[in-house]
Each structure stands twice: as C-alpha cells, then as structure tokens.
Amino acid sequence: MSTARRPERWAVDAGEADVAVLTIPAVLHHDRVFDLDVRMEVRVPDLDGATSTSSASHGLSVELDGRREWSRDIASSNPGQTDSLDYHCRREVPAGEPLRVRVQTRVQGVRRRSLIIEALESIDA
C-alpha cells in the first residue's frame, strides 16, 4: 500500500472577467509549495478596425495574500489574432494558512478572451 498522496490542484477560469480570485484553503498537518500560473488572453483588432493597434495594450497585476507580487503592461501585438500575458511563480504555504491569489487585468483597444489561475502543489519525490 502506497502512502504517497496526490498533489493538490486548484484552478479558476474567469473567462472574460477583469478580475479573478483563487483561494486555496489551509491544511493543518503540513507545509505546502505551489507552482502558480496565470494566463490572460486578449483579442487584438484588425489593422482595418476602428482602434489603432499602436494604442492597444493589456496588463496584469498579481496579488498573493493581499500583497502585490507582480504587475506588467505591454503593447498588444498580432492584429486580427490573440495575444497573451503570462506569470509564473512558486509559493510556500505554511501549515494552517490559506493562500489567496487575486489577479486584475487592464485592457485598452483589445477585448479580454480569457483569464485563468492555476495552482499545482509540488511534492518532492
């Protein structure tokens, strides 16, 4: 009989929303380490569209437990297609504490397509 436990996996798909929140509940008996991935995807208008792609941009801010961890705004590229912005980090979560991930997006001249937060527990072999 194996005593190995399966890694926890948490995710939230916020679709076209501008904010997403993922709360991982606390466990009492052991510390955990999570690999966190955030992905925002936008639709960039065609060059023929009413909005100039030179002013098109999208941005992402990531907060962990209420503190800003990372923020970036970039010019959107790929007219007529999609563009994305991704963030990855690893976070230790002490026993008895939850982890709250809050992501806020910003867009100018583009349309939000998706916003996803994923957390996968890293278990040492």
Side-chain angles (χ1 to χ4, degrees), residues 45-118:
D46 289 323
L47 288 174
D48 298 345
T51 304
S52 166
T53 57
S54 64
S55 65
S57 65
H58 57 286
L60 189 61
S61 293
V62 178
E63 293 177 1
L64 300 179
D65 293 327
R67 291 190 175 141
R68 180 171 286 182
E69 180 76 14
W70 183 82
S71 186
R72 183 159 183 210
D73 289 275
I74 62 172
S76 301
S77 57
N78 301 329
Q81 299 179 27
T82 61
D83 198 358
S84 64
L85 189 53
D86 299 278
Y87 176 73
H88 172 84
C89 73
R90 181 171 274 203
R91 180 64 137 211
E92 292 184 34
V93 181
E97 293 188 19
L99 175 62
R100 183 174 186 267
V101 182
R102 182 179 182 275
V103 176
Q104 182 160 7
T105 65
R106 296 171 295 283
V107 296
Q108 179 179 336
V110 297
R111 185 176 60 82
R112 287 178 193 86
R113 286 199 46 172
S114 67
L115 176 58
I116 297 171
I117 305 171
E118 295 179 315

Side-chain angles (χ1 to χ4, degrees), residues 22-35:
L22 173 66
T23 302
I24 300 171
V27 297
L28 298 177
H29 304 292
H30 59 274
D31 295 345
R32 300 173 291 173
V33 176
F34 285 96
D35 284 302

